[in-house]
Amino acid sequence: MSKLYIADKVFDSRLFLGTSKFSSYELMSKTIAASNTQMVTVSMRRLDPERSHKDNNMLKHVRRPGLQLLPNTSGVKNAREAVFAAELSRVAFETNWIKLEIHPDPKTLLPDPIETYNATVELVKQGFVVLPYTIADPILCKRLEEAGAACVMPIAAPIGTSRGVEAKDMLRLVVEACNIPVIVDAGLGAPSHAAEVMEMGVAAVLVNTAIARSGNPVEMAKAFQLAVQAGRVAHQAKLSVPSIDAISGSPLTSYSL
Amino acid sequence: MNILINSKPLEVKAGSSLADLAVQLELPKDGIAIAIDYKVVPRNLWGNTILEENIELMVLEAVSGG
């Protein structure tokens, strides 16, 4: 499978993983290993000074050689807050990579396109490697590319829904429009969904709920990795063109006199 | 003296630095960010950043996320 280039990094795996919703840090760690992923998302929250933090070891279960951390800005409501969150993340995680997520409506968790664009412009100026979470709008994605985003991360379906590739036609348009990698983020529910978008020419996928909340996250992670590879190889092999009419592959031999 | 961390009060010794605060709270060495007045303080400046009475800090910690 061909390597994926994002900013100054090269990835062999086109499956990226979210770290939330696992039943334990141990399971999360084993799943990261089983997935062969090379990038995982993490987040931040306000610390409670009344609680003990001696055993806060989430990152110890995540960090490993060759794994890129991708902090997200989940919780911010606008571009100003997103820039602040990115600055905090840069110090906390020692990376200038940032998954720009601005979803002010908790019911839909859909991205605010205007704040996302504005934040991308500012964060690129500040030297961040910006991976914006966005709607599958080819014009918006092209504008994000022009603003300097390292890739675009359009949704297949709303976060956490596992509904699959609801935005299929729009994703196809995004892939056609963009020169930077298109990483489908959110809504994928099954390995077949991942294969479907990879066949379309999407560069990679980010999966969280579908793996973490499956019956066996370690095995599901392996399944997603296989599906991502299958989809990528199929895309490069060029799928045969569908036909409305049936086209026989065997001679229609006559068996009557 | 009293300071605020994420709007919650905390008692610290007068003259404490951010580095002293990190020790007091047993903060991990990874995944922590602190801001004063929306300005992020780099970790290498924690020792030089002395806290004043009633200062308000925003302290963030790493958590899992999608």
Side-chain angles (χ1 to χ4, degrees):
Chain A
M1 195 165 62
S2 54
K3 293 185 189 297
L4 170 60
Y5 296 85
I6 302 176
D8 59 338
K9 294 221 176 323
V10 185
F11 296 91
D12 294 306
S13 167
R14 290 171 180 266
L15 170 64
F16 302 133
L17 203 59
T19 54
S20 73
K21 303 182 185 179
F22 287 92
S23 58
S24 70
Y25 288 154
E26 288 75 20
L27 180 58
M28 174 189 71
S29 181
K30 284 187 188 152
T31 306
I32 291 172
S35 72
N36 283 329
T37 189
Q38 292 168 302
M39 183 156 67
V40 298
T41 49
V42 287
S43 195
M44 307 204 73
R45 72 171 172 207
R46 288 178 178 239
L47 179 139
D48 182 352
E50 292 165 3
R51 279 181 44 239
S52 167
H53 300 282
K54 202 161 55 126
D55 300 321
N56 179 354
N57 56 3
M58 193 278 297
L59 275 181
K60 288 201 184 111
H61 285 85
V62 171
R63 283 204 191 272
R64 58 206 67 197
L67 186 71
Q68 171 69 42
L69 292 190
L70 183 62
N72 69 32
T73 61
S74 179
V76 305
K77 294 186 263 326
N78 54 46
R80 182 181 52 79
E81 289 182 4
V83 171
F84 180 46
E87 291 165 349
L88 287 160
S89 295
R90 183 162 51 185
V91 165
F93 298 106
E94 295 177 328
T95 178
N96 64 343
W97 285 50
I98 191 77
K99 181 185 172 197
L100 176 58
E101 268 186 51
I102 306 179
H103 40 68
D105 178 2
K107 181 164 183 263
T108 64
L109 295 178
L110 290 174
D112 182 315
I114 296 167
E115 298 298 319
T116 300
Y117 176 81
N118 290 338
T120 297
V121 169
E122 181 57 32
L123 288 170
V124 166
K125 264 195 226 155
Q126 289 195 28
F128 284 91
V129 175
V130 184
L131 287 73
Y133 155 78
T134 174
I135 205 85
D137 176 336
I139 297 173
L140 173 60
C141 288
K142 194 66 185 173
R143 293 293 299 273
L144 290 168
E145 175 180 317
E146 289 161 359
C151 72
V152 286
M153 302 188 82
I155 66 169
I159 291 173
T161 60
S162 293
R163 301 205 300 241
V165 195
E166 293 187 334
K168 184 166 186 166
D169 292 331
M170 296 296 279
L171 281 170
R172 212 185 292 278
L173 293 175
V174 171
V175 169
E176 280 175 28
C178 289
N179 296 314
I180 53 176
V182 177
I183 302 176
V184 168
D185 173 30
L188 299 177
S192 53
H193 300 155
E196 187 179 355
V197 297
M198 293 301 294
E199 285 166 15
M200 281 163 41
V202 156
V205 299
L206 173 60
V207 182
N208 196 161
T209 305
I211 290 175
R213 286 289 156 94
S214 70
N216 187 328
V218 167
E219 293 304 303
M220 189 58 72
K222 292 178 191 169
F224 264 95
Q225 178 60 249
L226 289 167
V228 165
Q229 289 181 33
R232 180 66 184 172
V233 172
H235 171 70
Q236 291 183 303
K238 292 191 177 7
L239 296 166
S240 62
V241 179
S243 166
I244 298 282
D245 295 326
I247 306 171
S248 177
S250 306
L252 297 174
T253 305
S254 169
Y255 289 90
S256 59
L257 293 170
Chain B
M1 63 177 183
N2 192 52
I3 66 170
L4 287 171
I5 295 184
N6 299 330
S7 305
K8 287 193 175 180
L10 182 75
E11 196 64 31
V12 301
K13 263 200 236 161
S16 291
S17 66
L18 280 182
D20 296 327
L21 178 67
V23 169
Q24 179 179 336
L25 291 176
E26 297 178 306
L27 299 182
K29 296 222 181 317
D30 192 10
I32 298 289
I34 302 180
I36 302 174
D37 277 341
Y38 294 98
K39 288 192 178 40
V40 184
V41 183
R43 195 177 260 270
N44 63 349
L45 294 183
W46 286 6
N48 294 337
T49 306
I50 306 301
L51 304 174
E52 295 169 358
E53 176 100 49
N54 296 324
I55 192 169
E56 292 193 47
L57 303 179
M58 191 182 284
V59 182
L60 284 291
E61 63 178 342
V63 291
S64 48

